[in-house]
């Protein structure tokens, strides 16, 4: 699949109001990191077409909802959002509503049937069509539904508007070749498609040139990267290549699959300085019986062995996970196995979910669906266990010196204590105090401080002795964005074109494949 040629989005007449000013937009994201990245592409496509981001999301002329189909409550959120928007649209002339993403791919025309006030429905394979579909809906005065069965273009060739100056998402693959019985994603995003290594490295270099110092590699199963071109060690090689990109300080990835997690990837993590000591490793269940029913092609012993190998090579690694409670047929003994594996794994945090039926998945028609009351009771027990483990793991950080990448969007913990927030190398959320008289760090700068307290979901660094701020290129990029958003010229010496809101695909390739 060609991935180098940038997709050009033409200016759209629909992006202009009758008075000649630009129509505004907002994108609401439901779901996973892949959806967050997709939303950046949707925003970039709209801005390339002439739309502008709404100052107040509630007043936007175009509201785009990027949906998830993994869990039942995601569908409820969509229709809840649409229900609230119906009245708003009646009162606001010219307003348009678009629905995209996984649920749009799944439900297609059903969305317009349930919510006839929706103007556009588009799927996971044609995000770049959004401006054209909005224009067509406005011109024809009727809803436009366009769902493609395969990728129109690779998403990373579309324009993008990054939410963060310091961090960026980079898709290395899309789609999934697994057949987990609870998951509908493969049918919505298709078979795995891998990008060429040179194209990935070029996009990462472009992000770094634009000021980013942190990159997260994305894929439905990132560690199966290379399956399409027959290299089982391609992902480990890609991680090592990240270490050769000057100015790239932090590399993360999500989400790997335990069945395909190999020793060469662990070695690449341990031996590449800018690959961070954090790992998200989905468990789903600690019961081998349930794992088999889920068609997860690993067992609990294999899973625990991976964690042991990671911790042997990377002792300071923070490991997180996903767990489903109440899968069809899960017995009390199966659930106890999950508690046992969670206790042994000592995750720093876990995303825990109550199983919900997703029509179209094999699990939806399995016998022995678990009553809601039992699922709820198990869920609460699992949450209580993980809360204890998370607190203990975070308390073990007290006294440690951490380097924190200051965040723009996780906000202050407490203004009265001058606390700000960011992420440590192991991805723990850190609320840190800025000492009186110290320069306040910018989003994207690095702070070195010492951990003084802990809670289950964050750690606190109120130490003032030894506190230091390292100004970074990412902080400079944040300054440029702030200046541009206020119509103030960028500081002299800023790189030409730096801080662009919209990056039309891939710039000049600097690294070969």
């Amino acid at each position: 699949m060609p991935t180098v040629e940038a997709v050009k989005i033409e200016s759209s007449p629909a992006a202009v109001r009758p008075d000649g000013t630009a129509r505004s937009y907002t994108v609401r994201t439901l779901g996973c990191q892949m959806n967050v990245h997709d939303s950046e592409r949707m925003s970039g496509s709209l801005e390339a077409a002439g739309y502008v981001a709404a100052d107040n999301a509630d007043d936007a002329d175009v509201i785009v909802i990027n949906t998830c189909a993994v869990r039942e409550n995601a569908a409820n959120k969509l229709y809840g959002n649409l229900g609230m928007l119906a009245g708003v649209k009646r009162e606001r002339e010219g307003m348009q509503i678009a629905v995209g993403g996984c649920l749009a791919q799944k439900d297609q025309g059903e969305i317009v049937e349930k919510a006839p006030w929706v103007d556009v429905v588009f799927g996971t394979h044609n995000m770049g069509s959004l401006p054209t579909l909005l224009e067509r809906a406005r011109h024809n005065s009727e809803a436009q539904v366009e769902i493609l069965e395969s990728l129109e273009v690779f998403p990373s060739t579309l324009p993008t508007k990054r939410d963060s100056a310091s961090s960026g998402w980079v898709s290395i693959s899309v789609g999934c070749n697994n057949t987990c019985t609870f998951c509908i994603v493969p049918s919505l995003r298709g078979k795995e498609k891998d990008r060429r290594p040179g194209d990935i490295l070029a996009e990462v270099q472009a992000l770094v040139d634009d000021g980013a110092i942190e990159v997260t590699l994305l894929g439905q199963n990132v560690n199966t990267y290379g399956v399409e071109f027959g290299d089982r060690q391609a992902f480990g090689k890609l991680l090592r290549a990240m270490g050769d990109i000057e100015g790239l300080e932090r590399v993360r990835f999500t989400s790997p699959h335990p069945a395909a997690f190999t020793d060469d990837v662990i070695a690449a993590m341990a031996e590449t300085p800018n690959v961070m000591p954090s790992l998200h490793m989905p468990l789903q269940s600690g019961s081998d019986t349930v794992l088999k029913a889920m068609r997860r092609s690993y067992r609990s012993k294999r899973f625990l062995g991976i964690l042991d190998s990671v911790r042997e090579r990377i002792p300071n690694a923070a490991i997180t996970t996903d767990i489903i409670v109440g899968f069809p047929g899960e017995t009390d003994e199966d659930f106890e196995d999950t508690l046992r594996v969670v206790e042994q794994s000592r995750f720093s945090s876990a995303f825990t979910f109550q199983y919900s039926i997703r029509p179209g998945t094999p699990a939806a028609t399995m016998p022995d669906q678990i009553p809601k009351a039992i699922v709820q009771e198990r869920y609460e027990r699992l949450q209580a266990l993980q809360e204890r483990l998370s607190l203990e793991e975070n308390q073990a950080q007290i006294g440690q010196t951490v380097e924190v990448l200051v965040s723009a969007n996780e906000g202050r913990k407490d203004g009265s204590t001058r606390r700000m927030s960011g992420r440590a190398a192991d991805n723990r959320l850190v609320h840190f105090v800025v000492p009186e008289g110290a320069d306040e760090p910018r989003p994207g700068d690095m702070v070195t401080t010492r951990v003084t307290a802990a809670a289950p979901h964050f750690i606190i660094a109120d130490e003032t002795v030894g506190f230091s701020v390292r100004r970074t290129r990412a902080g400079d990029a944040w300054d440029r964005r702030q200046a541009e958003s206020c119509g103030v010229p960028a500081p002299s010496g800023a790189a030409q074109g730096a801080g662009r809101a919209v990056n039309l695909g891939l710039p000049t390739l600097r690294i070969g494949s």
Side-chain angles (χ1 to χ4, degrees):
M1 180 178 299
T3 64
V4 177
E5 291 298 322
V7 174
K8 181 174 176 57
I9 303 291
E10 300 291 342
S11 296
S12 171
V16 182
R17 300 187 185 111
D19 64 3
T21 60
R23 284 195 167 95
S24 62
Y25 78 91
T26 188
V27 180
R28 300 179 182 179
T29 307
L30 310 176
C32 65
Q33 293 95 334
M34 191 74 74
N35 274 20
V36 173
H37 182 49
D38 286 349
S39 290
E40 292 184 341
R41 302 292 174 185
M42 294 173 193
S43 296
S45 296
L46 288 171
E47 296 207 0
Y51 294 88
V52 296
D55 292 330
N56 182 343
D58 293 335
D59 296 333
D61 297 307
V62 175
I63 296 179
V64 183
I65 304 177
N66 186 13
T67 63
C68 171
V70 173
R71 285 173 292 279
E72 184 179 18
N73 66 344
N76 295 338
K77 282 183 180 179
L78 168 64
Y79 290 107
N81 268 273
L82 293 178
M84 287 186 288
L85 289 173
V88 177
K89 186 178 180 183
R90 282 193 297 269
E91 300 298 322
R92 190 180 304 163
E93 185 178 356
M95 177 182 168
Q96 289 184 297
I97 301 169
V99 178
C102 288
L103 196 64
Q105 187 79 23
K106 171 180 170 289
D107 288 357
Q108 303 188 14
E110 183 181 329
I111 291 174
V112 174
E113 291 178 11
K114 291 182 176 179
W117 53 92
V118 169
D119 298 276
V120 170
V121 178
F122 62 105
T124 58
H125 299 316
N126 60 327
M127 289 182 290
S129 299
L130 175 57
T132 299
L133 293 171
L134 288 168
E135 182 178 341
R136 196 182 301 162
R138 192 173 295 279
H139 179 271
N140 296 345
S141 298
E142 65 179 12
Q144 301 297 306
V145 178
E146 182 177 285
I147 306 292
L148 301 185
E149 294 306 314
S150 59
L151 276 180
E152 189 174 49
V153 294
F154 202 94
S156 291
T157 64
L158 292 170
T160 183
K161 180 186 179 183
R162 288 165 47 219
D163 286 338
S164 169
S166 61
S167 303
W169 310 93
V170 175
S171 290
I172 68 172
S173 64
V174 294
C176 179
N177 293 342
N178 291 319
T179 57
C180 300
T181 54
F182 57 82
C183 185
I184 199 167
V185 167
S187 66
L188 302 181
R189 291 193 178 260
K191 291 292 186 182
E192 181 172 329
K193 295 289 184 182
D194 295 328
R195 295 178 71 191
R196 290 174 50 212
D199 295 345
I200 296 168
L201 294 173
E203 184 176 354
V204 173
Q205 184 68 61
L207 289 172
V208 172
D209 290 346
D210 200 38
I213 59 176
E214 177 181 63
V215 161
T216 301
L217 304 177
L218 290 178
Q220 223 65 54
N221 292 308
V222 290
N223 56 320
T224 58
Y225 172 72
V227 65
E228 202 176 22
F229 48 84
D231 186 352
R232 291 177 177 270
Q233 296 191 331
F235 184 60
K237 294 174 184 176
L238 186 63
L239 289 180
R240 291 183 185 277
M242 294 294 114
D244 295 329
I245 298 179
E246 185 177 353
L248 180 59
E249 298 193 27
R250 292 185 169 189
V251 177
R252 306 187 189 279
F253 58 89
T254 192
S255 292
H257 193 292
F261 205 77
T262 50
D263 289 342
D264 66 291
V265 173
I266 298 173
M269 292 176 64
E271 296 166 10
T272 310
N274 63 356
V275 176
M276 293 293 95
S278 62
L279 176 65
H280 186 73
M281 182 64 71
L283 170 63
Q284 306 302 2
S285 175
S287 162
D288 289 350
T289 301
V290 174
L291 288 172
K292 183 178 180 181
M294 289 178 167
R295 290 190 200 150
R296 300 285 288 180
S297 47
Y298 58 88
R299 300 296 176 257
S300 59
K301 182 178 179 180
R302 157 75 174 155
F303 185 91
L304 290 168
I306 292 171
L307 303 198
D308 288 343
S309 296
V310 170
R311 286 174 170 143
E312 182 180 354
R313 294 296 306 272
I314 314 169
N316 60 331
I319 300 175
T320 59
T321 198
D322 297 328
I323 304 171
I324 297 172
V325 175
F327 188 80
E330 181 187 72
T331 65
D332 289 339
E333 291 76 15
D334 292 327
F335 179 67
E336 291 297 330
D337 283 342
T338 293
L339 295 181
R340 172 183 56 80
V341 173
V342 169
E343 183 82 57
Q344 288 181 252
S345 298
R346 300 199 67 84
F347 301 113
S348 60
S349 66
F351 298 95
T352 55
F353 308 100
Q354 298 184 38
Y355 172 78
S356 60
I357 292 175
R358 303 311 295 137
T361 63
T365 57
M366 285 182 175
D368 301 321
Q369 300 284 331
I370 310 299
K372 170 65 177 175
I374 295 176
V375 176
Q376 182 68 34
E377 187 269 339
R378 290 176 183 172
Y379 177 74
E380 291 173 1
R381 287 176 61 195
L382 175 61
Q383 277 202 316
L385 170 60
Q386 185 56 53
E387 286 282 297
R388 172 175 66 80
L389 293 172
S390 294
L391 178 59
E392 291 172 0
E393 291 298 299
N394 283 351
Q395 286 174 332
Q397 300 297 306
I398 295 174
Q400 298 292 317
T401 297
V402 292
E403 188 174 48
V404 182
L405 174 57
V406 181
S407 171
N409 54 22
E410 288 180 287
R412 291 180 179 275
K413 174 66 175 176
D414 184 346
S416 66
T417 61
R418 287 176 55 81
R419 282 196 188 126
M420 297 181 69
S421 302
R423 294 281 171 174
D426 62 10
N427 212 32
R428 283 184 169 89
L429 176 61
V430 184
H431 299 305
F432 61 90
V433 71
V434 180
E436 289 287 344
D439 289 337
E440 187 165 296
R442 304 163 299 178
D445 285 341
M446 291 285 196
V447 163
T448 299
T449 185
R450 192 170 69 88
V451 180
T452 56
H457 304 292
F458 56 86
I459 53 180
I460 294 173
D462 279 347
E463 182 64 75
T464 57
V465 177
F467 177 91
S468 65
V469 176
R470 175 164 63 87
R471 294 174 70 85
T472 69
R473 296 165 43 261
D476 295 342
W478 185 83
D479 273 346
R480 290 195 298 272
R481 283 190 175 198
Q482 294 299 104
E484 289 168 1
S485 68
C486 296
V488 178
S492 60
Q496 184 177 1
R500 292 185 304 272
V502 178
N503 166 27
L504 294 179
L506 295 174
T508 304
L509 300 183
R510 295 183 51 177
I511 301 176
S513 59

